[in-house]
Amino acid sequence: MIEDRALELGKMLGQTNEYKAMQRAREELENTAEVKAQMQRVEMLTEKLEPLAKDGQEPPKEIAEEYEGLLSSIQAHPKYQQVVAAQSNFDKMMLQVNEKIVEGIRKGGESSIIIPG
């Protein structure tokens, strides 16, 4: 019963404006050629930097600067900012949902009625 209700809640959350806006913003970001190319370059640089970090080595200055510059450029892009705003709005809604779940748990714990699992 609880799993069914959780699935129902998940479906309802997936139909909210906040979730749809977040998905649209992510898709738009992924479909922006400039950002997509920058993100691919970041992934390539990450593959070079991770082994160095694991070994405790400093990365070459040029690679570190390029990596930081790419991240800054991506984060400053309007499409990225839309994703951040949409994610924030979805997170706020989820916080409210979680608060209601906690309230329901508290009320359920105070109730003498036992609901079969």
Side-chain angles (χ1 to χ4, degrees):
M1 181 172 148
I2 291 175
E3 290 86 3
D4 293 338
R5 292 289 179 105
L7 182 60
E8 184 180 333
L9 176 60
K11 288 178 181 178
M12 291 172 66
L13 290 169
Q15 295 172 351
T16 62
N17 290 332
E18 291 85 351
Y19 180 79
K20 289 178 182 179
M22 183 179 64
Q23 291 301 102
R24 274 192 312 273
R26 286 181 177 172
E27 288 173 15
E28 288 178 19
L29 179 67
E30 290 171 7
N31 293 327
T32 303
E34 174 189 355
V35 174
K36 189 173 185 175
Q38 290 175 331
M39 291 172 79
Q40 289 172 342
R41 182 66 182 152
V42 165
E43 286 178 31
M44 290 174 56
L45 293 174
T46 299
E47 290 174 10
K48 290 180 180 180
L49 294 172
E50 282 181 346
L52 296 174
K54 286 181 184 177
D55 292 339
Q57 298 177 20
E58 287 290 320
K61 185 178 178 182
E62 305 81 34
I63 293 177
E65 287 176 355
E66 181 183 2
Y67 181 85
E68 290 174 14
L70 286 167
L71 288 180
S72 294
S73 178
I74 292 168
Q75 292 170 349
H77 197 281
K79 296 289 183 189
Y80 182 86
Q81 294 298 320
Q82 288 175 343
V83 170
V84 171
Q87 180 72 52
S88 177
N89 289 337
F90 182 75
D91 290 347
K92 288 175 188 174
M93 181 192 65
M94 288 303 299
L95 182 61
Q96 292 173 343
V97 168
N98 287 333
E99 288 172 353
K100 290 296 181 182
I101 290 172
V102 169
E103 181 182 335
I105 290 170
R106 184 183 51 76
K107 287 181 180 179
E110 294 171 355
S111 174
S112 60
I113 299 172
I114 298 175
I115 300 173

